[in-house]
Amino acid sequence: MDAALSVIKPGIRVAEIHRAAAERLGRIDPKFAVIRNVFAGHGMGLHTHEPPYLDPTGDQANIILQEGMYLAVEISAFDLPEFKVVGGFPEDNVLVTKDGHENLTWGVPRELWIAK
């Protein structure tokens, strides 16, 4: 998540957000590079899921971020090698600002909660 957030600013392509997350996960463990095949978030506005979709190869990969865009960055949490979702898609919501971005959900805890 931090790698994806670190590149968000006006002027970058949507694919760069996805690429940053995938590269970081792949360095942690090559099996986590599976995110290369999964979207890493989406735009938000009038609906909860709308373009641009943070996908490195789709038709929106070359969309350029602009100030004022609102994004949900979601890095998948999968159990490998079964590829089952465990913990879903943790999400940070960010507003693209003139000089970078503002994380609107920065105060939400990121600790893993286990229900027993």
Side-chain angles (χ1 to χ4, degrees):
M1 184 71 77
D2 290 336
L5 294 172
S6 73
V7 299
I8 296 176
K9 63 183 178 186
I12 70 153
R13 294 180 322 116
V14 165
E16 297 302 317
I17 301 168
H18 190 286
R19 183 175 293 118
E23 287 176 358
R24 176 78 56 88
L25 287 168
R27 283 195 305 268
I28 293 169
D29 189 320
K31 70 182 175 195
F32 294 130
V34 71
I35 189 179
R36 294 180 200 286
N37 301 321
V38 180
F39 93 125
H42 53 86
M44 293 180 70
L46 296 176
H47 303 282
T48 56
H49 288 86
E50 61 183 47
Y53 295 100
L54 308 185
D55 177 344
T57 59
D59 61 350
Q60 298 173 19
N62 291 319
I63 290 175
I64 304 296
L65 292 186
Q66 299 176 35
E67 181 180 359
M69 292 176 89
Y70 183 44
L71 305 171
V73 180
E74 301 179 73
I75 307 302
S76 328
F78 289 106
D79 180 22
L80 300 174
E82 292 83 15
F83 205 66
K84 295 178 184 173
V85 175
V86 297
F89 297 83
E91 177 176 298
D92 274 358
N93 295 313
V94 301
L95 176 65
V96 180
T97 62
K98 178 182 172 190
D99 299 315
H101 71 275
E102 179 182 355
N103 187 335
L104 303 173
T105 51
W106 64 268
V108 176
R110 288 191 177 174
E111 293 81 24
L112 177 62
W113 297 6
I114 299 175
K116 295 184 180 189

